[in-house]
Each structure stands twice: as structure tokens, then as C-alpha cells.
Amino acid sequence: MKMAWPMLAAILAIAGCSSPGAQDPLAGFGPAPDLPSPRHSLLPMVKVPEVVGWPAGAAPRAPEGFKVVRFAEGLDHPRWLYVLPNGDVLAAESASEPSKADKNNQGIKGFFQRLLMSRVGSARPSPDAIILLRDADGDGVAETKTTFAHEGLRQPFGMTLVGDKLYVANSDGVVSFTYAPGQTAAAAPPAKVFDLPGGPINHHWTKNVVASPDGTRLYATVGSNSNIGENGIENETGRAAIWAYDIASGQARVYASGIRNPNGLDFEPTTGALWTVSNERDEIGPDLPPDYLTSVRDGGFYGWPYSYWGRHVDKRVKPQRPDLVAKAIAPDYAVGPHTAALGLTFYAAGTFPPRYRGGAFIGQHGSWNRVPLNGYRVVFVPFSGGRPQGTPEVFLTGFVNAEEKIQGRPVGVVVDKAGALLVADDVGGVVWRVAPATPSASAASPS
């Protein structure tokens, strides 16, 4: 990652000449977002902030009426969370391991991607561990932190429990551990369940797994191997997709496709429909296209790489596929351009004020190729009747400080057994817990 500083300064100066994106933190949100014309430039727009971490005693900011505490800290790049039936919390620790076969790691764009990953502690050997956090006295802070599993893990991410099987999504497939209530460490290495597309490129390596509400199927996410297919469309087989696995028969298939980088998966509580959040493509402007939240149809095609937001054709992709564009489904709800929407959980508990019940919390990891920065927050999208309704809310902020330096980056979001929101912060090495400040606060909406 060597580059002469005079050359780097020149590149930054040229890149900085590109027109910035919208300042409104909720620009590009909603069911019918504004889609400006594509904008191309000689160099990608970049903004790679310095990482400073959290000062002692500091925390993200939540709306009035809520308090934020460090549920656990001192973790090694925690990416995803899962709450076990007894209230124990599992945190998957993993990091990027860039591939030399990935064309995205080459050239100027690759330089800045590697620079950001290096700064945020991601471009290094992955910790490959699952940590169990236990809050035995129920005070909102985990007293114990133990390694639940390490052997047999390869960039672990999503986790889900069905009966006595704890399923974990590695970067190349799903494995399972035998689990007993209250267990603090895996008793044996995991068993292979099914493969998912992996290396040698594995551009979007994070893979999530959730179980259907009836426990008969698993759903797993697989991101694309590129921005818009530049690593070869032959390397995208089975990628940019959500897979379904039937537990009884052991059969796996692509459930939905054309979703560039799905991560968060959850079931909307009133309809039971599967929803996901996905990162969209880069390099056609700071405000295009928006990342999105959408319901997922069996057999549905969502456009990538040939189109975005339904049938808006991306002319950079060769060869064009008008037959697939004609089938492309427009997402349900936009959540801003280049926000890196990753985490997703529907709020089905009763601890938060009524306006939050049934809505979606989304962890937005944050941009690297947009001016101004976007994301680096948790947002809330209200739902009614199984659909997004009402005004979105920036719920948890402060991950970027007043000097635009990164203190943390939110990833996975879950609701704990007491109804509080837990947020995995990979850069900060912290799991944050957000709960009403007082019992009476749960009876009224926050300001």
C-alpha cells in the first residue's frame, strides 16, 4: 500500500474537486427517493477519515429519554450479534482479508479502500472467534466475556439457533455447533451444513444466516464479487443473492438474486415477510444510488448489476441484459446513498416507547467514497401494517466526532431479552446498549 505522499496529495486534490453530495442526513430516504443523473469522474470521490476511537467515558448519542452504556468493551472487531434464549449475547469477531485476485483492490480505488480498511483495523488477519457475553445481574452491563468458539471458524458473521443447533455463517458456508442452554463454550468443533460461494476473490465476504420463524429453513446472504461485475460475470454465480436451505432435506437454492450486498435479514413481525438491507454500487455519484431496505420475494430479481432501483439501467455494465432489467423489482425503501447499511432488526419488544414498536433499526457502517461522509449511525424506520410508514429517525449518532474523525462504526443491531437495543461497534471494539433512561420513559415517545 505504498504511494509517494506528493502523488497522494495530488490525487486527493483532484478527487476533492468533484461536486459533493447532499448535506441532509436523510437525503435519499423513502419509498420513492430522488434519483439524480449518474455522475462520472476521472477519479473516485474519496474521504478517508482518521480513526481516533472513543475517549474514556464517551458514548454515542441517542434521543432524549434514552441512555447509552457500554454493554461490553475490549472486543476484537465485533461485527455481528445474536441473543440466546437465556439472554446471553454472542458477538462474532471477524475482519477483512483482501484478495489479490480482486480487481477492486487494484488501482487508485483499491488504494483508498485498503487505506480505510487499514485505518479501521479491518485489513488484517481475522480474529475468527465468537465471544459469549453474560449480564448475570441484569444491570445492562456484561460481567463475563468468554470465548464460545474459535476452532472451525473462518470470518464468522451471522448466527442463529434452531433447537440444539447453533448455525454460524462463515465466509464460505454455514456450519453448526451443538448448543445446550447456559453453555458458555462449544464442546466440539462445528459440523459443515452447506457451502456458499467463497474465495478466491470473495469481494463481499460477510455472510449472514437467519432461521425461518417455524425453524424449518435457513436463509443466508451472499454479497457480490465486485462493484458491477468487473471481476467477470462468471465469478458472480450464486452471489448477490439470498439463499434458502431446507433443514430436513439438506437442499440449498438461490431464493432471491440481483441484491448487490445483502447483510441484515429479519422477519417483519406482523406479516412474517423476510426483509433485508443491502449496499448498492459505487462510482456514479455521491447521491446515487441509495442503499435500501426491502421485502424479499421468492424468485425475485432486484437488478444488480444491470440496473438499480428497479429498471434504471447502469450503462457501464457489459454486456447489457435488457431481459433481466425488465424483471427487476424496485426496493421498498431507500436508506441513503453510500451509507453501508448492514444491520437490521425489527423492534418487537415492549420496552421502547410505542412509536418504535414494529419498526426497523438499521446499522449504517458508513461511507469511504462520499463527501460529506454518510452513515456512521443507527437509523429507525417506522412501520405500520407491515410496510414502512412515517418519517425516518436518526437514532444513534456520534460515531464521527466534530472534527470528522471516526470514533466507531456500527454494524449489527439486535434487541436483547429486556427489550434494549444492542449495537456492535467494530472499530470501537464495543457493544453498546440503548435503553429508556427511566421506567417512565417507556410510556411516552422521546423528543
Side-chain angles (χ1 to χ4, degrees):
M1 195 172 61
K2 295 181 179 180
M3 181 175 287
W5 283 109
M7 182 181 297
L8 174 59
I11 290 171
L12 288 170
I14 296 171
C17 293
S18 301
S19 299
Q23 296 283 341
D24 181 357
L26 291 177
F29 270 69
D34 178 45
L35 299 177
S37 299
R39 288 163 50 180
H40 304 280
S41 60
L42 178 62
L43 294 174
M45 178 178 288
V46 293
K47 187 174 180 65
V48 184
E50 181 183 351
V51 176
V52 295
W54 293 97
R61 298 183 299 273
E64 184 178 346
F66 289 89
K67 64 179 179 180
V68 184
V69 301
R70 299 185 185 210
F71 178 76
E73 55 187 323
L75 296 166
D76 188 0
H77 218 249
R79 300 280 288 179
W80 214 248
L81 303 172
Y82 184 75
V83 179
L84 292 164
N86 71 339
D88 288 345
V89 177
L90 299 177
E93 296 181 329
S94 51
S96 300
E97 295 178 344
S99 165
K100 293 181 179 179
D102 185 359
K103 292 181 181 179
N104 288 271
N105 289 326
Q106 302 170 15
I108 294 171
K109 176 184 174 182
F111 170 81
F112 285 109
Q113 286 181 323
R114 296 194 303 275
L115 176 61
L116 175 62
M117 287 191 294
S118 175
R119 284 187 173 183
V120 300
S122 182
R124 59 183 176 84
S126 177
D128 292 350
I130 295 175
I131 306 300
L132 185 140
L133 308 169
R134 177 170 289 174
D135 175 14
D137 60 8
D139 67 349
V141 177
E143 296 87 29
T144 60
K145 178 175 65 176
T146 58
T147 299
F148 179 84
H150 180 74
E151 188 177 356
L153 297 177
R154 183 175 182 180
Q155 295 173 290
F157 198 76
M159 298 161 284
T160 192
L161 181 69
V162 180
D164 66 348
K165 298 296 183 185
L166 177 68
Y167 296 95
V168 178
N170 280 335
S171 61
D172 57 359
V174 174
V175 298
S176 69
F177 295 91
T178 299
Y179 172 80
Q183 186 176 341
T184 59
K192 175 181 171 180
V193 180
F194 66 101
D195 291 327
L196 291 168
I201 299 174
N202 218 10
H203 178 66
H204 290 118
W205 58 269
T206 54
K207 293 176 173 66
N208 191 16
V209 62
V210 300
S212 61
D214 64 5
T216 63
R217 283 193 287 184
L218 302 177
Y219 294 91
T221 65
V222 182
S224 70
N225 240 345
S226 60
N227 181 33
I228 52 167
E230 63 273 14
N231 280 320
I233 204 67
E234 68 278 4
N235 290 313
E236 303 293 350
T237 302
R239 303 193 69 109
I242 294 172
W243 285 63
Y245 174 82
D246 182 78
I247 294 176
S249 68
Q251 297 299 307
R253 64 181 177 89
V254 171
Y255 182 81
S257 61
I259 308 173
R260 179 174 175 267
N261 188 25
N263 275 268
L265 286 174
D266 201 6
F267 296 89
E268 196 281 319
T270 61
T271 65
L274 179 65
W275 286 67
T276 192
V277 285
S278 180
N279 300 173
E280 255 293 358
R281 66 203 71 203
D282 296 322
E283 300 177 68
I284 50 175
D287 292 328
L288 191 73
D291 291 349
Y292 59 80
L293 165 71
T294 192
S295 56
V296 183
R297 304 182 197 174
D298 191 352
F301 175 72
Y302 291 80
W304 187 89
Y306 307 104
S307 63
Y308 56 88
W309 202 263
R311 300 174 185 177
H312 292 78
V313 174
D314 191 331
K315 296 181 180 179
R316 299 173 298 170
V317 181
K318 305 297 181 185
Q320 293 281 297
R321 287 293 304 272
D323 56 324
L324 291 178
V325 172
K327 300 176 181 179
I329 300 169
D332 290 291
Y333 195 90
V335 292
H338 309 292
T339 58
L342 297 179
L344 171 64
T345 190
F346 284 100
Y347 191 81
T351 305
F352 279 21
R355 75 172 237 89
Y356 293 101
R357 295 170 195 171
F361 285 100
I362 300 168
Q364 298 192 315
H365 203 214
S367 64
W368 66 273
N369 57 349
R370 185 182 190 272
V371 179
L373 292 173
N374 209 4
Y376 298 95
R377 63 197 176 189
V378 175
V379 296
F380 173 76
V381 176
F383 269 60
S384 178
R387 305 292 302 172
Q389 302 284 344
T391 304
E393 175 185 350
V394 177
F395 183 77
L396 197 65
T397 61
F399 293 91
V400 175
N401 67 18
E403 289 76 39
E404 290 201 321
K405 296 179 180 180
I406 297 174
Q407 300 186 130
R409 299 183 85 188
V411 192
V413 290
V414 294
V415 178
D416 72 11
K417 196 173 181 181
L421 184 72
L422 299 179
V423 180
D425 174 355
D426 60 357
V427 167
V430 179
V431 174
W432 302 102
R433 186 176 190 267
V434 188
T438 62
S440 60
S442 64
S445 296
S447 300

